[in-house]
Amino acid sequence: MSSVIFHRPEDAPRRAAPLKPGEAVSDTRGRPLRDLRISVTDRCNFRCVYCMPREVFGKDHVFLPHSALLTFEEITRVARIALTQGVRKIRLTGGEPLVRKGIEKLVEMLAQLRTPEGKPPELTLTTNGSLLARKARALADAGLTRITVSLDALDDALFDRMSDSAIPVATILAGIEAAAQAGLKPVKVNMVVRRGMNDQEIVPMARHFRHSGHILRFIEYMDVGNSNGWRMDEVVTGAEIVRRIGSEFALRPVQPQYRGEVAARWAYADGAGEIGLITSVSQPFCGNCTRLRLSPEGQLFTCLFAEQGHDIRALLRSGATDQALTDRLAGVWLVRGDHYSELRGSAHRDHKIEMSYIGG
Ligand code: SAM
Ligand code: SF4
Ligand code: SF4
């Protein structure tokens, strides 16, 4: 069966009436808008080989100038409008969000927003952890509710080979502990697994984070962007990861808590905590994907694998009313039909956005 794909909101059939404030939107596949991922910078102090390889993101790479970035006021305005459209969870990402100057101020501004029910949104952030030990307390005080820290290996030499950062693993572990002490619990720790590179760290990582109170989540290596030379045989599936950990420590599946929960959860049978599996390649979850992404300079993307965004910065800077912004956001979501991960092999794309630009 073929389905019609609208590439631009202006190509979509017109709605009978403008969306009222507070009216939630659904896309062409019936998926509501629930999550807003805000990438606050395209810069990073790491050069992870699977995300920003140094050959591509070297000294000559031109990053966005500061004037191109959305200001904190502009970001907060988009987030405020997104809450009226159904968003209940906001995640700050990047690049590395903690390298954006004054990020705590942005957290404070977002934490003051309210949903139409009068509740604060869930406000979280994904970081490489390198600057977290010194920033965790300020982020928590500013109103951050939770945090995810990326860590791909415990072995220093291997970690350095993957992150190309010259930062010791101990710095990231100290960041994780500082976040937990600041109350950002449970800390989620994300490990991207790439066969032949760090898959030997699966069991040591599981062992390390058992009994820690932190939740270790394994992420299948994805074909995001155009820079990492992705190959299917480098993907270690979630099923294999569960088998490998299960042969060491008994695991039992945990039922999902809500529709759209992307991580499959498994608990240690001896009560040592739980792990998560994000199986974007082997078991795509497009059917439950409720995420809208905002790029550092104000492009809206409805899929991690999109080739084109929808500009909102020009509208923001033209003195547009809240209603005009509401209609723009709704227009982008209403025509959304993305389901790349379900198509993968048959959906050839040459110019996907980079992960370091739009965030995970
Ligand atoms: N710099 C921050 C960090 O590393 O956590 C936030 C941005 S980073 C792009 C967000 C997440 O995407 C990280 O957990 C990272 O490991 C993950 N990621 C990057 N490239 C990936 C790939 N090719 N496949 C799967 N996950 C990837
Ligand atoms: Fe930076 Fe995060 Fe990409 Fe690594 S994964 S290069 S830390 S943005
Ligand atoms: Fe969502 Fe696109 Fe990923 Fe599918 S491929 S889960 S639509 S971001």
Side-chain angles (χ1 to χ4, degrees), residues 221-226 228 230 281 305 340-341 344-345 352:
Y221 176 46
M222 289 187 287
D223 51 336
V224 283
N226 314 287
N228 63 13
W230 182 87
V281 178
F305 298 90
Y340 174 86
S341 285
R344 191 151 266 119
K352 290 176 284 189

Side-chain angles (χ1 to χ4, degrees), residues 31 285-286 289 291 293 302-305 336 338-342:
R31 298 168 296 190
F285 39 81
C286 298
C289 180
R291 298 173 184 173
R293 296 177 154 88
T302 54
C303 180
L304 194 48
F305 298 90
R336 174 184 192 247
D338 305 281
H339 58 132
Y340 174 86
S341 285
E342 290 175 355

Side-chain angles (χ1 to χ4, degrees), residues 245-259:
I245 298 175
S247 67
E248 197 85 14
F249 311 105
L251 289 168
R252 59 171 175 79
V254 178
Q255 288 314 306
Q257 279 169 327
Y258 56 92
R259 180 193 171 197

Side-chain angles (χ1 to χ4, degrees), residues 45-57:
N45 55 342
F46 281 21
R47 285 293 175 274
C48 299
V49 287
Y50 53 77
C51 178
M52 290 181 86
R54 206 172 284 276
E55 318 82 81
V56 181
F57 295 87

Side-chain angles (χ1 to χ4, degrees), residues 150-186:
S150 304
L151 178 65
D152 298 331
L154 287 170
D155 175 76
D156 267 318
L158 182 53
F159 181 68
D160 190 47
R161 227 180 304 142
M162 290 198 79
S163 65
D164 195 4
S165 66
I167 290 180
V169 171
T171 304
I172 317 302
L173 294 176
I176 293 170
E177 290 318 315
Q181 272 168 25
L184 300 170
K185 288 192 277 196

Side-chain angles (χ1 to χ4, degrees), residues 86-148:
V87 164
R88 294 294 175 268
K89 185 170 168 186
I90 299 174
R91 178 176 296 276
L92 297 176
T93 178
E96 173 47 41
L98 299 190
V99 304
R100 174 104 186 234
K101 213 165 150 216
I103 186 75
E104 306 84 346
K105 180 70 199 162
L106 176 62
V107 169
E108 196 183 312
M109 289 163 75
L110 294 171
Q112 281 161 17
L113 296 176
R114 291 293 174 267
T115 66
E117 302 81 40
K119 293 192 181 139
E122 192 180 334
L123 184 54
T124 172
L125 179 147
T126 303
T127 172
N128 64 28
S130 59
L131 303 169
L132 189 55
R134 71 182 96 132
K135 287 195 182 254
R137 175 61 61 188
L139 289 166
D141 289 349
L144 197 72
T145 39
R146 278 223 303 252
I147 200 153
T148 300

